[in-house]
Amino acid sequence: MVRAEIITIGDEILYGQILDTNTQWISFELDKLGIKTIRKSSVGDSAEEITTILNESKSRADVVFITGGLGPTKDDLTKKVLADFFHCSLEMNEDALKDVTEFFLKRGRELSDINRDQALLPTKAQFIPNNQGTAPCMWFDEFGVIWISMPGVPFEMKAIMENEVIPKLISHFKTPIIYHKVIKTIGIGESYLSDLIQDWELSLPKHIKLAYLPSLGIVKLRLTAFGDDLEGLKANVEEQIALLRPMINSFIFGYEKDEIAEVVGHLLIKNKSTIAVAESCTGGHLSHQFTQISGCSEYFMGGVISYSNEIKKEILHVSDSILNKDGAVSESCVTAMAKSIREKFNTTYGMATSGIAGPTGGSIEKPVGTVWIALASEGEVITRKLQLGGNRMQNIHMTSLNSLNLIRRYLLKDLS
Amino acid sequence: MVRAEIITIGDEILYGQILDTNTQWISFELDKLGIKTIRKSSVGDSAEEITTILNESKSRADVVFITGGLGPTKDDLTKKVLADFFHCSLEMNEDALKDVTEFFLKRGRELSDINRDQALLPTKAQFIPNNQGTAPCMWFDEFGVIWISMPGVPFEMKAIMENEVIPKLISHFKTPIIYHKVIKTIGIGESYLSDLIQDWELSLPKHIKLAYLPSLGIVKLRLTAFGDDLEGLKANVEEQIALLRPMINSFIFGYEKDEIAEVVGHLLIKNKSTIAVAESCTGGHLSHQFTQISGCSEYFMGGVISYSNEIKKEILHVSDSILNKDGAVSESCVTAMAKSIREKFNTTYGMATSGIAGPTGGSIEKPVGTVWIALASEGEVITRKLQLGGNRMQNIHMTSLNSLNLIRRYLLKDLS
């Protein structure tokens, strides 16, 4: 097993002024390659601190990833420390200079001395191009360890990793052939899911591992197969998924990078259908889920945020008797809202939400977290009551997810 | 200067399955106390790895924070390692047992053996209560270092830090008296802001430090004053803010924990005004900003997401001639939308957005990032054109922020 360490350099991370997301991303990608992260560290913009951590890593890791400390205003601290650490000098690297010059040329800007100096690299460095910025990436093979220094800007680091570093790692370490597939579920908690699939999990072949990746309302299952033959591994994983699917089919909304709002969008397009939403407690969040997806205008016509009862009455024509007798958080109210938005926007479907997101507004009969949702179609309205237990933002988020899932299962004719 | 190290324990963090946000939060709080974080580390759920990092920290730090590895299913690994490291045994702690028993009693659940064992603590530990969960917090004073072990669940850790650990740190280390104030700005970039205030920044008294904390669309300025007398420091900081304010007054929207949507809400309440929104490119995101704030129903009546041109015509009565001649992304269109939503929802103000969020839909005249926003009031409509340069989500977010800021400055009669 190849052992990796990840080091982040920068006072702004050390003092908590920025959240470091690079380290998580790198370790997640390494895990997919079968490279085991054994330590993550952050140190400040100090030559002494950087040298100390490099010396520590030398005796523990096979590969060390270093991000940050390469910007022009950082005085290129990392490069100087690396040159000293590897007992070499900084010299102008012609490939790096060509890249940084072109970077400025393309943008019609002149190359300043500070930016020119970004092409000064330790002579032992193998230069790796950065197409997204001016800070260079460097690969060293010293002391029996591979050292990779990358800029800290996340989109630059990710592009370098994907295009350059990961292929080099695979070829250098001859990492095992690995195949991954992520199965995405909604509407079921991690422990209940694990109960449902435990027999299947226990009978997985030895070369296939399962990981649970839970987040709010969604649990991802990742299957990882190790072996010699990629096509064989793909086939093995698909066989296992074919066995798994019947056990939890209703909960699976997609695979890999599928997002729930996108999946719902594809189903609507496939059914040549359109939708509009009437939101009370979600207050725009549900519409925002739809409209985050580029191209959603094909099926998402829009909606009404009826935050006040007056708007529920005047724009959505919810009757006084419903609002007075059952209240705004009721089955009758969301039914009326869903029907009304469907007619008003002339769509195939109308979705409505109304609930108590909290922290205030709860009562004994309708505590915080009580939510009703409804989906209206031609001649039919489906409703669901939710009892959520999170804070305001979590309750809003869970209501949107439940709404999207109700639409998904309705379109798949898979409602229990 | 007190030196701190922060250690996170857990395979799920090491392999990138979860993003660690605890470490940033802790270091940010320590920075406010004048305690300097010198190293952050993550190690796996392994006794050997945890012991190694504890030994390393012993020689570097005055205080070590350890989060994670305390849950009942973790087999209480951290506690066993700590007991060995401090050469003591695990024994039932009566205070911890009382707390965990009460925690279950209050929720009407029975105390299982696994949860009972959570009250087994190293005998050298000083027990610190956790009111939010069942994993205990422990404080050790060994080898001339303070060691604080906390659960990894963020809201539990934060409550323990705020209520218990920070006061104990202040009293133990006799940290200097420090006073902070955060000034929040919107509508101005970091470098332009720094140009505007550079004379003031250079003339700050030596005991007051300035930090820039930028995020998308918002730059926070944090003033930190060190000294002996809290009231004196507060007065010093307020004096400096009084000097600063005239230079950047229009950009300051609040202080400390103020959020822009909340500030706009307070202004609307103060002016006894109400608002409704007509969203095209923001697609619900702007409404969601308003409705994230508990109590917003006092001034936020709701809105219409007019994602399609049909809805702009039929619900918001934007004329065919505007849509055909100027298009949906135009000053005339947002003007019509803002006027219409104000009338329809019978509010004091109507806000509208329309633009090209991307990645598709741009043209030479109207590239991706072209956005129009409008604010309608009695007899007047204010419009602004934005030219944004981010990805789809950033463009949506920036449009919402610009809209909130336009309302804010209009209500303050501070439009340039």
Side-chain angles (χ1 to χ4, degrees), chain A residues 287-354:
Chain A
S287 295
H288 175 53
Q289 302 314 302
F290 279 106
T291 58
Q292 274 185 52
I293 309 296
S294 179
C296 67
S297 53
E298 203 174 330
Y299 48 87
F300 180 74
M301 294 303 112
V304 166
I305 321 285
S306 57
Y307 216 67
S308 73
N309 278 358
E310 288 69 47
I311 300 302
K312 289 187 186 78
K313 276 196 287 189
E314 281 162 37
I315 311 281
L316 295 175
H317 314 298
V318 178
S319 70
D320 265 325
S321 82
I322 286 178
L323 291 171
N324 296 336
K325 209 180 112 236
D326 303 334
V329 180
S330 65
E331 184 168 25
S332 56
C333 184
V334 286
T335 300
M337 287 166 68
K339 279 181 170 176
S340 168
I341 195 75
R342 178 177 172 273
E343 279 166 29
K344 208 171 181 72
F345 279 52
N346 193 26
T347 50
T348 327
Y349 303 106
M351 180 87 220
T353 67
S354 186

Side-chain angles (χ1 to χ4, degrees), chain B residues 259-393:
Chain B
E259 296 292 342
I260 179 73
E262 213 177 349
V263 167
V264 168
H266 288 313
L267 287 171
L268 287 166
I269 291 173
K270 199 175 143 200
N271 290 2
K272 297 189 177 57
S273 303
T274 55
I275 195 162
V277 301
E279 301 187 61
S280 184
C281 69
T282 44
H285 188 266
L286 177 57
S287 295
H288 175 53
Q289 302 314 301
F290 278 106
T291 58
Q292 274 184 51
I293 309 296
S294 178
C296 66
S297 53
E298 202 174 332
Y299 49 86
F300 181 75
M301 294 303 113
V304 166
I305 322 285
S306 58
Y307 215 67
S308 73
N309 278 359
E310 287 69 48
I311 300 303
K312 288 186 186 79
K313 277 196 285 191
E314 280 161 39
I315 311 280
L316 295 175
H317 314 297
V318 178
S319 70
D320 265 325
S321 82
I322 286 178
L323 291 171
N324 296 335
K325 211 180 112 235
D326 303 335
V329 180
S330 65
E331 184 167 24
S332 56
C333 183
V334 286
T335 300
M337 286 167 68
K339 278 181 171 176
S340 167
I341 196 76
R342 178 177 172 273
E343 280 165 29
K344 209 171 182 73
F345 279 53
N346 193 26
T347 50
T348 327
Y349 302 106
M351 181 85 221
T353 67
S354 186
I356 302 145
T360 59
S363 65
I364 293 174
E365 297 110 62
K366 292 179 186 174
V368 167
T370 307
V371 174
W372 278 96
I373 60 176
L375 174 64
S377 55
E378 172 92 52
E380 186 181 23
V381 182
I382 312 281
T383 60
R384 291 287 184 272
K385 188 185 183 183
L386 314 174
Q387 197 64 60
L388 304 170
N391 61 27
R392 181 177 182 85
M393 196 49 230

Side-chain angles (χ1 to χ4, degrees), chain B residues 45-152:
Chain B
D45 291 311
S46 131
E48 197 191 329
E49 289 180 33
I50 302 170
T51 307
T52 305
I53 184 79
L54 293 176
N55 270 310
E56 291 173 15
S57 306
K58 190 168 66 172
S59 57
R60 284 188 300 237
D62 304 306
V63 54
V64 177
F65 297 83
I66 305 155
T67 65
L70 290 176
T73 59
K74 291 277 184 185
D75 200 24
D76 288 318
L77 179 66
T78 304
K79 288 194 308 193
K80 282 181 197 148
V81 175
L82 288 172
D84 286 346
F85 183 67
F86 295 127
H87 310 295
C88 65
S89 59
L90 285 176
E91 279 178 26
M92 191 56 73
N93 181 296
E94 291 308 319
D95 292 333
L97 183 62
K98 192 164 151 269
D99 272 20
V100 74
T101 310
E102 268 175 20
F103 187 92
F104 279 87
L105 203 68
K106 266 192 199 158
R107 283 156 184 80
R109 285 155 57 195
E110 216 172 310
L111 185 68
S112 67
D113 283 349
I114 284 181
N115 288 110
R116 191 187 155 83
D117 283 354
Q118 294 202 275
L120 281 173
L121 302 191
T123 52
K124 287 190 179 164
Q126 187 178 335
F127 167 67
I128 291 182
N130 170 7
N131 297 321
Q132 315 280 329
T134 59
C137 172
M138 293 166 279
W139 172 288
F140 300 87
D141 188 346
E142 295 293 323
F143 313 125
V145 177
I146 296 297
W147 309 80
I148 300 152
S149 163
M150 294 182 287

Side-chain angles (χ1 to χ4, degrees), chain A residues 168-186:
Chain A
K168 270 178 84 76
L169 288 172
I170 290 170
S171 103
H172 180 88
F173 286 109
K174 299 176 184 60
T175 53
I177 304 287
I178 292 188
Y179 178 71
H180 296 276
K181 186 134 176 187
V182 173
I183 303 146
K184 294 186 161 178
T185 72
I186 185 168

Side-chain angles (χ1 to χ4, degrees), chain A residues 6 12-21 23-25 27-29 31 36-44 49 52-53 56 60 211-214 222 277 279-297 300-308 310-311 314-315 344-346 358-360 392-393 396, chain B residues 6 12-21 23-25 27-29 31 36-44 49 52-53 56 60 211-214 222 277 279-297 300-308 310-311 314-315 344-346 358-360 392-393 396:
Chain A
I6 306 169
E12 63 288 12
I13 285 174
L14 205 58
Y15 304 155
Q17 292 172 3
I18 347 181
L19 177 66
D20 165 33
T21 55
T23 305
Q24 183 206 11
W25 189 89
S27 59
F28 194 80
E29 294 303 311
D31 190 43
K36 187 177 168 160
T37 301
I38 55 163
R39 180 76 75 97
K40 296 177 175 179
S41 312
S42 288
V43 297
E49 288 179 34
T52 305
I53 184 81
E56 291 172 15
R60 282 187 301 235
Y212 289 82
L213 309 173
R222 190 180 63 196
V277 300
E279 300 187 61
S280 183
C281 69
T282 44
H285 188 266
L286 177 57
S287 295
H288 175 53
Q289 302 314 302
F290 279 106
T291 58
Q292 274 185 52
I293 309 296
S294 179
C296 67
S297 53
F300 180 74
M301 294 303 112
V304 166
I305 321 285
S306 57
Y307 216 67
S308 73
E310 288 69 47
I311 300 302
E314 281 162 37
I315 311 281
K344 208 171 181 72
F345 279 52
N346 193 26
T360 58
R392 181 178 182 84
M393 196 49 230
I396 290 172
Chain B
I6 305 169
E12 63 287 13
I13 286 174
L14 204 58
Y15 304 156
Q17 292 173 1
I18 350 180
L19 178 66
D20 165 32
T21 55
T23 305
Q24 182 206 13
W25 189 90
S27 59
F28 193 81
E29 294 303 310
D31 189 43
K36 187 176 168 162
T37 301
I38 56 163
R39 180 76 74 97
K40 296 177 176 179
S41 312
S42 287
V43 296
E49 289 180 33
T52 305
I53 184 79
E56 291 173 15
R60 284 188 300 237
Y212 288 81
L213 310 173
R222 190 181 61 197
V277 301
E279 301 187 61
S280 184
C281 69
T282 44
H285 188 266
L286 177 57
S287 295
H288 175 53
Q289 302 314 301
F290 278 106
T291 58
Q292 274 184 51
I293 309 296
S294 178
C296 66
S297 53
F300 181 75
M301 294 303 113
V304 166
I305 322 285
S306 58
Y307 215 67
S308 73
E310 287 69 48
I311 300 303
E314 280 161 39
I315 311 280
K344 209 171 182 73
F345 279 53
N346 193 26
T360 59
R392 181 177 182 85
M393 196 49 230
I396 290 173

Side-chain angles (χ1 to χ4, degrees), chain A residues 25 34 73 122 126 164 191 245 248 255 259 268 303 312 333 354:
Chain A
W25 189 89
T73 59
Q126 186 179 336
E164 307 281 344
S191 56
R245 211 181 284 117
I248 54 167
Y255 299 90
E259 297 292 343
L268 287 166
K312 289 187 186 78
C333 184
S354 186

